Amino acid sequence: MSILSLRLPDSLHRKVRELAAKESVSINQFITIAVAEKMSALLTEEYLEERARRANPDAVDRILARVPDVPPVSGDEVVS
């Protein structure tokens, strides 16, 4: 485990303390979870961008052409 010294503005520290207490976790645990969530979001975006770069537009068009042209199931309509 590593030790990290972190400087936070007082207002942010107060809010972190409040939210950590509300979640019944320590400030350390709260910040660890927040960092893990942010990393997950960034790494997922990176993964999806890489997958998109490898996509074959012709294959996508062939796959989508097989989708039947029928009205959506009730509740799945696009609302604009």
Side-chain angles (χ1 to χ4, degrees), residues 45-57:
E45 181 180 10
E46 186 178 292
Y47 169 78
L48 292 174
E49 287 172 350
E50 172 58 28
R51 290 294 304 258
R53 279 192 290 278
R54 292 186 290 149
N56 178 336

Side-chain angles (χ1 to χ4, degrees), residues 29-44:
Q29 186 66 26
F30 185 87
I31 291 171
T32 299
I33 293 167
V35 169
E37 288 178 4
K38 182 63 175 183
M39 285 177 55
S40 176
L42 293 172
L43 291 171
T44 298

